[in-house]
Amino acid sequence: MRRVISRLTATTLLLVGSVSLAGCIVAPPRPVRHVRVVAPVHASARVWVPGYWAPRHVWVEGHWRYR
């Protein structure tokens, strides 16, 4: 009886796993097109630097920085 219950449990788990994964679609990632951005040399672009943890566990707020 114990063997029947364990096989029934295993079969139920396999069936539930198969049904739950039925909607999943596994596909390779799409290739990325490399785009080159050309900007004038004299243009000063501003970029956002997000907040981060600095040494000694100090939080540095996000800020704008010129490139």
Side-chain angles (χ1 to χ4, degrees):
M1 184 69 177
R2 192 174 202 166
R3 181 179 281 174
V4 172
I5 291 175
S6 68
R7 284 191 180 193
L8 183 63
T9 303
T11 305
T12 304
L13 288 175
L14 285 172
L15 180 65
V16 169
S18 298
V19 169
S20 68
L21 293 176
C24 292
I25 298 173
V26 180
R30 294 180 179 175
V32 178
R33 294 182 182 174
H34 295 283
V35 178
R36 183 175 165 194
V37 178
V38 179
V41 177
H42 66 295
S44 58
R46 288 176 40 161
V47 293
W48 176 253
V49 179
Y52 60 93
W53 289 103
R56 296 187 183 177
H57 204 67
V58 176
W59 179 252
V60 177
E61 294 286 333
H63 58 277
W64 288 100
R65 185 181 74 175
Y66 291 99
R67 289 198 316 170

